[in-house]
């Protein structure tokens, strides 16, 4: 059985989810900027970091 996620894992996951939502919001408001892609990159980095934490 798996143990529940730790607090840093939950924090990173929520940060990544917020970055993904902000990326979508900015993409609809300003579609021709680089900010949505940078926020998606940040969301992916948070996902990778939360998966590496034990």
């Amino acid at each position: 059985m798996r143990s529940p996620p730790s607090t840093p894992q939950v924090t990173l996951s929520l940060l990544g989810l917020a970055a993904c939502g902000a990326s979508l919001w900015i993409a609809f408001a300003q579609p021709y900027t680089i900010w949505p892609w940078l926020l998606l990159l940040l969301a992916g980095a948070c996902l990778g970091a939360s998966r590496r934490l034990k």
Side-chain angles (χ1 to χ4, degrees):
M1 183 146 187
R2 295 183 60 166
S3 62
S6 65
T7 303
Q9 281 180 316
V10 172
T11 304
L12 283 170
S13 296
L14 290 175
L15 182 63
L17 184 62
C20 189
S23 171
L24 284 171
W25 182 39
I26 291 173
F28 281 108
Q30 302 170 355
Y32 301 110
T33 63
I34 196 168
W35 290 110
W37 296 107
L38 292 176
L39 286 170
L40 281 178
L41 187 64
L42 175 67
C46 287
L47 171 68
S50 72
R51 301 271 304 190
R52 285 189 178 91
L53 288 177
K54 295 283 178 173

